[in-house]
Amino acid sequence: MRTSRRMVLVAVCAALAMLFGSIAMISGTASPSAADNGCVENPFGDRPIYLKGGFNGWSADPAYQFAYNCNRFELTVNLSGTSDFKVADADWSADADFGGGAAGSQVETGVPLELALRGANLTYAFGGTQTVVLDVSQSITTPTLTITACPQNPLGDALLGLSGDFNDFSPEAADYFLYSCDGYYLNVDLQGTHEFTILDPIGSPETHLGAADDSGGGVNLNEPMPLSSDAEIGSVADLRFDFTGPHTLRVSFEGEDLQPTLTITEQTWVNPGIPVPVTDTVARQVRYDSRDRDFKAPYGAVPAGTNARFAFEAPPGVASATLVVQTRRLEGNQDVIEYLDPVRVPMERTRDGEVDRWSAAYRFGQENVYGYHFELSINGVEYVYQNNNDPIYWTTERGSFGLGEIAFLSDDPTRVRPYRQTVYSRDYRVPGWAKDAIYYYIFPERFRNGDPANDPEVGTDTYLDGPVEVHSDWLDTPYVPGDADGSTGDDDQFNNDFFGGDLAGIIDKLGYMETLGVNTLYINPIFEAGSNHKYDTADYLNIDDNLGSNADLTRLTEQAEAHGIRVILDTSLNHTGSDSVYFDRYANYPGNGAFENETIQPDSPWADWYTFVPDATDPDDQYAGWVGISTLPELTESDSFSDFAFREPDSVMKTWLDRGTDGWRMDVTPWVSDQFWREWRSSVKSHRPDALTLAETWFDASKYFLGDTFDSTMNYIFRNAVIDYADGRSAAETYQSIEMIRESYPPQAFYALMNLLSTHDSARTLYQLGYTETSSPEQIAEAKQRYRLAVLFQMTFPGSPAVFYGDEVGVTGGTDPFNRATYPWADEGGDPDTVMLTDVQQLISLRNQHAVLRRGSIDAPVHLDDKVIVLTRKHGGTRAITAFNNSTTTQQVTVELPRGYGDKPYTDAMTGQSVTPTDDELTLTVPAMYGSVLITS
């Protein structure tokens, strides 16, 4: 997208707040009245308060509802990646819409941040499980927000129950603890002295906790007591406590050795939204894994007409089971997600050793994305086996597939979390060259000034009928509102400052790109437009005169081809600019624009391209703009626009393909209808079958890979997963998002994905890895090494890697516009990091040299822990093993190789050293913050 995503989200939230929000002023005092114990009444009464952000579509999602406790709202969430968000009630009411205030909007782990009503979007780098606390003890208008990271549960998925004389030493459902961030919690109401232990009835000896001996089992109120386990001493003794009514029991893990410790207090704990667990021992042992062909075959996305087989295993005790398959409806930017038309398939039971195996088959006849789950009856209770609860970057629906979870079956079908199944057309074809593509990704106004004669001029060029700013120094920092170059004074506009980059500059550096090793050039919009980003198209059929001419584009494609480089163009068919030939709000063009001179023109040839609101009085409100942005009037998909855009022989799509380009990237894809994209693809492919159709989506893009719309997408899920991993976050957590797309996307699309790191819509990778304005030399060096790790992963993984201009020489920068800085050419006074350049060049060369890294098969990791990922690849007779380590120290791991990988010697492609597996095992020494690439001869 073109505009700052921060600005877009603010606009979206503001629009929602205006639509739903109360305009009543807040009454009462700013600070709540506290009871003697420091607690205060919930200031919002019965109104639920939610965490609302990009991770849940800015909605009032019950999974993100806070629980009120004394004087604060608490929520435990499992999220990954940097996200914008706010804290608000369902309706964005004026007294319950909290964002960043005078203290800023960036939330730091463990640091309270004072919020403000109707404040800006908050930002936080989530990483796993966190507790979010909104403290209203001092103020209900400027509460504080604190986010605290939760340590991993040392007992994994263990479910601890209180087993004592009060329940015949057999925990019932109400006797189970809930794990919440830093320990297991249980509220009880008991009287008298009771003996008990703490255990998971189907757990390991480590999960049976009690006293070391009979003489030491007494627990005192408010005094932490270390616990022993059966694993340590063979058999633990009972604990004892004098209960006097409501109490909270907490099992925590203290010190470096994570000593289990029991603390009993007066009842203080409030459940921060953790669902009641399933405790039935049969239900807890149900197992289904969508990545295991013993449970689901075929694996992953399938062509239409496929008969798929499903099975799960369970101990005896399941009375009946049903496979439920539904069609999925997803519209817009995840605005509508629902599952429809359920088909129920009874499952059959067979005995398989000591377990029962339940199986069923279903034929997926039509192209679609489906959801499926299993419904089971056990001991008279109805359960659902569903997708797990892993967060997926940018995707509202949770779950990474693979092993799922058992839960109580809700009467509300929207509470079920389905597995998803992509079913694509049997004739779905993606251009073969896409598997081998390596993109060089350019924001043209900032790459290279090859022709100063076409530079923008102050006093001549305009933006939104106002002045522009022109940098005299190529190495300047991009301006934001309030910055000025001295020619226009302080202005309030983004996107109106220019450096002079152009097509001539790109042409000048085609040799540089060829030497770098890239073979596909993706260029942000270059058509006539007023802004520096050019997504506010003014004329689709002409190159912006500050970037060059139509002839320059033809020259670029011809010379790029001579260097072995394809060219992909970018535009939006969702909106134009308000200052355009077609809309002409400011009467800057000849002809009769649809909103010429801020007047609706029904007789304009472009009148039916837009949606107008004649009764509105403010010009900004007289037409629909993309997400409410008045500078970007939204297009209607009318016949006349479709004719112009792609149907006619001289349409926009065909005109530029005929001038030598090789495909199209389509901006804001989810805001355009599926039917429009279907007809658009058909037209493009009939004109140029090998043209690439590339979407801009940030979330799970399965619906676009059915064979009727797109070949590929900008893979933001990959981007966030790889950057977070390179930044030191858990490999076991971040990699699940990649496993989700491997399973969900058809292979022809998966191998053509545009695998991003930096983009024009997000902070530079180096910035996210720690190279900021205040970084020390040591921090910069580490950020650069972590960037090398990210590039190594990118260049050795299926898909089409993309290098954002300047990343390869150490360019950094935060969010828009600072990520859109200029390339630091030495002849412009810049200081490119040539060591980094050489390293990136070598990694690109590694990919180009070895087809197994571009086209080789890939399965689930053969090793995956917090720090290390080990993958296997094969292509023809060649095998490859790629290993990655995000730790600051070298890691050594021994992996068991799949069949066919252990009978040949391997050469480390980067060091030249040879290594040979022994008995199908291989010990790898993986360098710190880097990796190894082993390839058979």
Side-chain angles (χ1 to χ4, degrees), residues 311-635:
F312 68 81
E313 292 179 348
V318 177
S320 64
T322 304
L323 167 68
V324 181
V325 181
Q326 297 173 282
T327 55
R328 175 176 177 253
R329 175 188 173 211
L330 185 150
E331 293 184 358
N333 190 37
Q334 305 180 98
D335 303 313
V336 175
I337 302 174
E338 59 183 351
Y339 289 86
L340 308 169
D341 306 321
V343 177
R344 306 179 66 83
V345 184
M347 303 185 77
E348 297 182 354
R349 173 173 48 194
T350 57
R351 178 56 60 90
D352 186 2
E354 296 182 356
V355 301
D356 287 345
R357 182 176 177 85
W358 293 79
S359 58
Y362 183 82
R363 182 179 184 273
F364 290 98
Q366 298 296 319
E367 298 87 353
N368 211 325
V369 177
Y370 294 82
Y372 69 92
H373 64 272
F374 307 97
E375 295 179 3
L376 304 83
S377 180
I378 304 172
N379 294 325
V381 178
E382 300 301 312
Y383 296 94
V384 57
Y385 194 96
Q386 60 186 355
N387 202 349
N388 56 56
N389 197 34
D390 291 342
I392 302 299
Y393 294 102
W394 303 109
T395 302
T396 300
E397 289 187 272
R398 298 174 72 90
S400 62
F401 312 159
L403 286 172
E405 295 180 356
I406 193 83
F408 296 107
L409 182 61
S410 171
D411 292 334
D412 180 0
T414 65
R415 301 306 296 270
V416 173
R417 195 164 53 242
Y419 285 88
R420 296 190 295 281
Q421 175 65 54
T422 303
V423 179
Y424 57 91
S425 171
R426 287 189 173 272
D427 61 1
Y428 183 20
R429 300 288 184 272
V430 172
W433 59 265
K435 286 185 177 182
D436 301 317
I438 301 176
Y439 290 96
Y440 196 66
Y441 172 172
I442 290 178
F443 190 81
E445 213 281 318
R446 306 289 163 81
F447 178 64
R448 175 79 173 176
N449 188 346
D451 183 6
N454 63 26
D455 288 358
E457 296 182 3
V458 174
T460 300
D461 291 283
T462 62
Y463 174 60
L464 301 178
D465 217 32
V468 299
E469 299 173 303
V470 177
H471 295 261
S472 59
D473 183 350
W474 179 257
L475 302 178
D476 270 355
T477 299
Y479 293 144
V480 296
D483 292 338
D485 64 355
S487 61
T488 64
D490 288 352
D491 67 76
D492 60 356
Q493 294 289 350
F494 281 92
N495 309 314
N496 71 333
D497 66 318
F498 295 84
F499 286 82
D502 51 30
L503 296 185
I506 297 174
I507 293 169
D508 287 349
K509 292 299 179 180
L510 288 170
Y512 166 81
M513 297 175 213
E514 183 179 9
T515 302
L516 183 61
V518 301
N519 56 28
T520 306
L521 180 57
Y522 160 54
I523 312 175
N524 287 132
I526 55 176
F527 302 142
E528 185 67 43
S531 70
N532 53 34
H533 55 65
K534 307 302 177 191
Y535 283 98
D536 52 330
T537 309
D539 185 345
Y540 286 103
L541 297 176
N542 286 291
I543 302 299
D544 188 275
D545 57 6
N546 296 137
L547 295 177
S549 65
N550 293 1
D552 287 331
L553 187 279
T554 301
R555 187 162 61 96
L556 170 61
T557 59
E558 290 174 349
Q559 294 194 25
E561 183 178 7
H563 286 276
I565 296 174
R566 300 175 187 269
V567 178
I568 304 293
L569 294 187
D570 183 3
T571 195
S572 175
L573 299 183
N574 164 268
H575 52 260
T576 65
S578 56
D579 188 9
S580 66
V581 171
Y582 321 105
F583 200 74
D584 204 13
R585 175 171 177 169
Y586 307 107
N588 287 329
Y589 296 89
N592 188 23
F595 196 54
E596 186 85 16
N597 201 25
E598 298 190 338
T599 302
I600 299 170
Q601 305 289 340
D603 58 342
S604 168
W606 304 292
D608 69 347
W609 287 20
Y610 305 97
T611 300
F612 290 103
V613 185
D615 294 338
T617 55
D618 187 327
D620 283 352
D621 299 330
Q622 289 185 289
Y623 56 91
W626 176 67
V627 296
I629 299 174
S630 63
T631 60
L632 301 173
E634 199 161 29
L635 293 160

Side-chain angles (χ1 to χ4, degrees), residues 62-305:
Y64 295 87
Q65 180 179 331
F66 285 85
Y68 189 70
N69 181 11
C70 183
N71 54 20
R72 60 195 182 276
F73 292 87
E74 299 177 341
L75 173 66
T76 299
V77 295
N78 182 11
L79 291 168
S80 292
T82 300
S83 292
D84 285 0
F85 64 96
K86 299 185 81 175
V87 177
D89 66 1
D91 295 332
W92 300 95
S93 302
D95 65 338
D97 174 6
F98 297 101
S105 300
Q106 181 69 46
V107 183
E108 302 295 340
T109 301
V111 180
L113 179 70
E114 185 177 285
L115 305 186
L117 286 167
R118 295 289 168 87
N121 291 341
L122 300 161
T123 301
Y124 180 70
F126 292 94
T129 304
Q130 294 95 176
T131 56
V132 186
V133 175
L134 182 75
D135 188 332
V136 296
S137 62
Q138 301 303 311
S139 173
I140 61 173
T141 58
T142 57
T144 61
L145 184 80
T146 306
I147 301 180
T148 305
C150 299
Q152 287 188 331
N153 182 352
L155 298 183
D157 294 330
L159 192 60
L160 298 184
L162 195 66
S163 174
D165 54 20
F166 43 80
N167 60 17
D168 294 329
F169 293 92
S170 179
E172 300 178 359
D175 300 325
Y176 280 84
F177 290 74
L178 295 178
Y179 190 81
S180 178
C181 189
D182 59 354
Y184 287 89
Y185 290 83
L186 174 65
N187 289 333
V188 300
D189 189 353
L190 296 170
Q191 294 286 347
T193 301
H194 292 283
E195 295 185 342
F196 57 92
T197 62
I198 298 168
L199 81 161
D200 185 338
I202 60 172
S204 65
E206 286 82 4
T207 65
H208 190 188
L209 306 174
D213 55 60
D214 291 335
S215 62
V219 183
N220 297 319
L221 186 70
N222 298 324
E223 293 185 9
M225 179 177 177
L227 302 178
S228 298
S229 71
D230 282 359
E232 295 173 311
I233 63 174
S235 180
V236 297
D238 287 346
L239 301 160
R240 294 184 306 279
F241 183 73
D242 295 327
F243 291 93
T244 58
H247 292 83
T248 293
L249 284 72
R250 175 178 179 248
V251 177
S252 58
F253 302 90
E254 306 298 333
E256 292 184 1
D257 59 351
L258 300 177
Q259 170 68 50
T261 302
L262 174 65
T263 306
I264 302 180
T265 66
E266 299 296 333
Q267 185 168 309
T268 57
W269 188 68
V270 174
N271 184 351
I274 301 169
V276 175
V278 170
T279 60
D280 183 276
T281 56
V282 172
R284 289 181 61 200
Q285 295 179 78
V286 174
R287 186 175 186 274
Y288 170 77
D289 185 346
S290 65
R291 299 174 193 153
D292 187 333
R293 287 175 173 82
D294 286 340
F295 294 99
K296 176 180 177 288
Y299 167 83
V302 298

Side-chain angles (χ1 to χ4, degrees), residues 897-934:
L897 297 175
R899 184 178 179 180
Y901 283 83
D903 57 351
K904 295 181 180 180
Y906 291 81
T907 300
D908 189 314
M910 292 183 287
T911 67
Q913 293 181 337
S914 181
V915 60
T916 301
T918 302
D919 297 328
D920 290 327
E921 286 190 346
L922 186 63
T923 298
L924 300 167
T925 302
V926 192
M929 296 184 289
Y930 205 50
S932 302
V933 180
L934 308 179

